[in-house]
Amino acid sequence: MELLSDKLTHKYSLPEPIVLDAVETAITCTLTKAYRSPVICRIQEGQLHVTAVMGLYDPMTIEVGSISKKLRRAISYNVELELQKRQAINEYHSMRELQGQVITGTISRIANNHVLFVMLEIDDLVNRVILLGECPLTYQPPHERSLYRIGDTKKFLVTSVRPIAGRAFARVRIVLNRTSRDLPARLLYQLTGVAGIKCQRRIAGGFSEIVTPQRIPKSAINTVGKELKEHVQVFIKK
């Protein structure tokens, strides 16, 4: 069957054992639902073996060629979806360390519900990776909401990274935030390298009250204030 082609391994950048397990799972679930009886699917040496248990009868081998075109289309659809799920989980494990980090992103689309879709450039050990994040309206400061334009570059705090799946898709959802109280402190740490900087209070677009264990450059404070369009108050507390 075309489902077992090596193309799936390359298309989803997944190890062959994971691809084969996804194919087996998808075929088993699809045929079990279609035949309304338990079905066992195994791939051995590139060959697909399907066995069904019909009621009280002995297990019966289902010839692959006997599967209808309609059912084959359903199998193909479910195989792709199962592989998307495996890829999303695989990507999640490599992306979850982004949670809590401040990342620069470029707004690529503004949805009708005002969600910002943001292109993120992440440098890994080998090359630069482009990811897509989203910033919901609730995580956008009120004073900025009417000013966003496609192509704008902003700093975002990664609030969460998690795999999600719907009836027809599976992907990793990266949620971005511009209202978090942690954002000013993390920006200052990113600029200065000074550990222990904390934001005690923040009204996004108004002011941030920052506590730092040592003096930090005024240029860094001004840079954060300009980025967030708010007054950044810094207090030294040893």
Side-chain angles (χ1 to χ4, degrees):
M1 290 181 69
E2 185 179 351
L3 293 171
L4 307 183
S5 171
D6 290 339
K7 292 180 180 179
L8 292 175
T9 301
H10 297 296
K11 179 178 180 179
Y12 289 95
S13 300
L14 293 169
E16 184 179 358
I18 292 180
V19 171
L20 293 179
D21 182 69
V23 171
E24 288 179 347
T25 299
I27 296 176
T28 297
C29 292
T30 304
L31 294 182
T32 294
K33 183 177 180 180
Y35 295 145
R36 298 182 180 180
S37 295
V39 172
I40 300 173
C41 168
R42 291 289 180 267
I43 300 172
Q44 296 176 338
E45 298 181 355
Q47 297 296 316
L48 176 63
H49 304 276
V50 181
T51 304
V53 180
M54 303 294 188
L56 299 176
Y57 298 99
D58 292 332
M60 179 181 67
T61 299
I62 298 176
E63 297 297 332
V64 174
S66 69
I67 299 175
S68 68
K69 290 184 178 180
K70 181 178 180 180
L71 200 48
R72 282 171 176 259
R73 287 195 295 270
I75 289 172
S76 296
Y77 177 86
N78 289 330
V79 165
E80 294 280 353
L81 182 57
E82 188 66 30
L83 285 167
Q84 288 178 24
K85 292 178 182 178
R86 305 298 176 95
Q87 186 177 46
I89 293 172
N90 193 51
E91 290 176 347
Y92 163 71
H93 287 301
S94 64
M95 295 180 193
R96 59 185 175 181
E97 292 183 359
L98 294 177
Q99 187 165 317
Q101 293 187 28
V102 173
I103 297 179
T104 301
T106 301
I107 298 173
S108 60
R109 184 165 71 90
I110 303 175
N112 292 334
N113 59 357
H114 305 290
V115 172
L116 303 178
F117 289 90
V118 183
M119 300 298 293
L120 309 169
E121 291 192 14
I122 311 297
D123 290 318
D124 64 13
L125 296 177
V126 179
N127 50 27
R128 180 164 292 182
V129 179
I130 305 297
L131 303 175
L132 181 66
E134 55 188 272
C135 183
L137 183 64
T138 53
Y139 290 160
Q140 302 168 20
H143 71 290
E144 292 185 351
R145 292 174 182 174
S146 63
L147 303 177
Y148 294 126
R149 297 291 182 271
I150 294 175
D152 287 351
T153 298
K154 302 286 184 183
K155 299 282 188 180
F156 296 89
L157 179 69
V158 179
T159 297
S160 70
V161 178
R162 60 189 180 92
I164 60 172
R167 295 184 63 181
F169 72 93
R171 64 181 177 87
V172 176
R173 186 183 187 215
I174 302 175
V175 179
L176 308 173
N177 193 318
R178 290 273 294 176
T179 62
S180 171
R181 189 178 67 177
D182 291 336
L183 181 56
R186 291 182 181 273
L187 281 170
L188 285 170
Y189 171 72
Q190 193 177 71
L191 288 168
T192 66
V194 175
I197 300 176
K198 296 181 180 179
C199 182
Q200 292 186 322
R201 187 182 176 206
R202 182 190 182 202
I203 297 179
F207 66 89
S208 297
E209 293 181 354
I210 303 292
V211 173
T212 175
Q214 67 185 66
R215 187 176 298 277
I216 57 178
K218 188 173 182 179
S219 59
I221 299 172
N222 291 337
T223 297
V224 173
K226 184 177 180 180
E227 168 68 31
L228 302 178
K229 295 181 176 60
E230 62 192 43
H231 180 57
V232 179
Q233 304 173 352
V234 178
F235 304 91
I236 300 174
K237 185 177 180 180
K238 296 183 178 180

